[in-house]
Amino acid sequence: MTIKQTLLLALSMGTFWTHAQENLDFSKSRNSINPTVNKDSVHFTIRAPQAQSIKLQGNWMTGQGAVDMQKNAEGIWKYSIATPSPDLYSYHFIVDGVKTTDPNNVYNLRDVASVSSIFFVPGETADYYMVHDVPHGTVAKRWYPSKGLHMDRRITIYTPPGYESSKEKLPVLYLLHGVGGDEEAWSTSGHAPQILDNLIAAGQVKPMIVVMPNGHTNNSAAPGESSKGYYYPEMMTPDVFNGDMETYFPEIISFVEQNYRVRKDKNSRAIAGLSMGGFHSLYISANQANTFGYVGLFSPAIMPPKDAQVAVYQNLDEKLKTQKANGLKLYWVAIGKTDFLYKNVQDYRKKLEELQLPYEYKESEGGHTWSNWRQYLTEFTPLLFK
Amino acid sequence: MTIKQTLLLALSMGTFWTHAQENLDFSKSRNSINPTVNKDSVHFTIRAPQAQSIKLQGNWMTGQGAVDMQKNAEGIWKYSIATPSPDLYSYHFIVDGVKTTDPNNVYNLRDVASVSSIFFVPGETADYYMVHDVPHGTVAKRWYPSKGLHMDRRITIYTPPGYESSKEKLPVLYLLHGVGGDEEAWSTSGHAPQILDNLIAAGQVKPMIVVMPNGHTNNSAAPGESSKGYYYPEMMTPDVFNGDMETYFPEIISFVEQNYRVRKDKNSRAIAGLSMGGFHSLYISANQANTFGYVGLFSPAIMPPKDAQVAVYQNLDEKLKTQKANGLKLYWVAIGKTDFLYKNVQDYRKKLEELQLPYEYKESEGGHTWSNWRQYLTEFTPLLFK
């Protein structure tokens, strides 16, 4: 599966379609999305005869760099890179100092308060992130009632292909996002539905339901999807590490087990999360020490505030001992070598070893990135419910 | 190190450190989304000391204009407008000739191959488009098998609040998009789930299932959601007006009636669509002349190609006579006064009058716009299934 490339420079920007008629944009004549992804090179172009400076910044770059694009006589700015390893990449242009998405690329992703343009380099694990002609599961945005939080809360639920027509009871993976995310993050940036569709089709993953809740308990839904309207997304909302997510997580399990055809034994439940969601997964599974057979901590933010008075954060060692004694099928920890939480995770590994709690450990290249979290999901899900 | 200290350390690494660490964007300090919407005025700002010219273009402007923003001594460009009437609005900046979304607004919508920033002016009908603290329905992206088109096809299905826990059989509205749209259009640009949630909560609309298929039969799903990958969205794909949507529409009805708890009588089925989807609704309901009790044509593209050889487009008068004889609860036609299809709709009204087919007619201000289509949906759905 390759992205089709046809390099056309027939940019038609600046042609203003009359505003009174929408959904009818006739002004374009390109046939390919920007950038052009070839086997050996990726080409970025943008037409801007009036601009004095255009820089390109992408998440494949190391350090702080933004590179200068080069303008030709027709006012087209270009930059080419050697094709990076297969993955989903994000980038933006800086046009005379203004950070922008690529006007010739309609595909983008939001990360907290920044929107970036994106492109795929196909191949290897990245092929699992792309849509293929395999049976597809259903992705539903539902709302579950939270008595504890006094609100209905939006939740994303993936049911695998054939769920609706089968009678089989399925296992459940609860999959939690990081501090900058919401109930959409794993299905947009994380490509969880595509990963599950493809791994199930390949016979590598057992059909399972994947439940993706919102981990910010002050919010009922993702930015723009709640009655708060179109606010500016902030990351450090007051609900972070206040114990509410852990305290009220049983409501989510009850909702799922009452509304879906699922198995309700411990070894048919898994919980995993990235960063803050790894922290949540750690404490939820430790506090409900006989609820989850499988735990996955992806780049987890490990330590609660030292002055945490909330019960769910206290006596962790005792809780982990109980969790171990109750039996675990898999306790899986993953971190990138340059992740800013690397040392915290090494400290946590020492604790697990002192407690003789068996765990599997994955150390990858790179940092605290969706590239790693997609990869971890692709490696973690085949280990579940076997 | 506590998590707070770790995060502060990360913050101290500066604005550009984020490349190796994602989902942690600390670089923002704003508390409100751009633009600022006040009762009497809307303010747009963008910081760009190096830019020579920044223009603002918005869909509230008449004609083709873009207005010049004014730069102050700090390099902040500003422009203010009198608050337009309540609605959802789209706009973009033109930075030294480059059309961009607003870097300080994460909310955007795609229309064919253009992405625009958006904002709400609350009040009046627009309040129905916004999320309120009312019971919410479920929005699911599913895939149905099309034998006729030899592919699985993605479809958006709204089920109203309480559907999952009730035993009541519900009526169904099939809601079709225009030539530039796909199975996402009515739930993104159209705000159909919010409109239904709010009108149901207000007791103005009967609980119903809303089925939003993809009307481009060459595509299995919206851009980026199929195995075609991230291609450049084109509007005039070869499937437009080739008869396939009309011919294979019964597969969608069968799928819905086999997979949802729905009433299966004619007066529990409605079909409506905008532009191309109005054309589809007209011909689908005329060809299956005893299937739909309610028909809604929103800014419909009426006329098939003159040389159309496809059976579904032939003998329309006879089919409409049969449809009339079979009985219709409501045949509803709406168009804006400045819509480019205005004359076509007036010609079609003459035909309906010659055939003495009773219909209701709504003429609004404005053109071929989502503003009108959201309004039409808000007026049409209260008329259904009464």
Side-chain angles (χ1 to χ4, degrees), chain A residues 134-150:
Chain A
V134 299
H136 299 293
T138 297
V139 178
K141 309 286 182 187
R142 288 185 68 165
W143 296 70
Y144 74 92
S146 171
K147 279 194 180 178
L149 298 167
H150 309 289

Side-chain angles (χ1 to χ4, degrees), chain A residues 22 30 33 96 230 234 368, chain B residues 22 30 96 230 234 368:
Chain A
E22 293 176 358
R30 289 170 58 88
I33 191 79
D96 287 342
Y230 287 2
E234 297 284 347
H368 204 72
Chain B
E22 293 176 355
R30 291 171 58 88
D96 286 343
Y230 286 2
E234 297 285 346
H368 204 72

Side-chain angles (χ1 to χ4, degrees), chain A residues 101-121:
Chain A
T101 50
D102 182 345
N104 291 306
N105 182 351
V106 298
Y107 302 102
N108 58 57
L109 282 174
R110 181 179 62 82
D111 187 55
V112 194
S114 297
V115 178
S116 298
S117 297
I118 55 172
F119 67 95
F120 261 119
V121 175

Side-chain angles (χ1 to χ4, degrees), chain B residues 29-42:
Chain B
S29 58
R30 291 171 58 88
N31 288 312
S32 70
I33 192 78
N34 207 24
T36 308
V37 180
N38 298 321
K39 186 171 178 296
D40 298 323
S41 53
V42 179

Side-chain angles (χ1 to χ4, degrees), chain A residues 54-74:
Chain A
I54 300 190
K55 292 174 188 289
L56 167 69
Q57 193 173 38
N59 71 341
W60 61 89
M61 296 176 182
T62 52
Q64 308 190 359
V67 295
D68 286 307
M69 300 183 75
Q70 300 301 319
K71 188 185 196 174
N72 72 10
E74 288 81 44

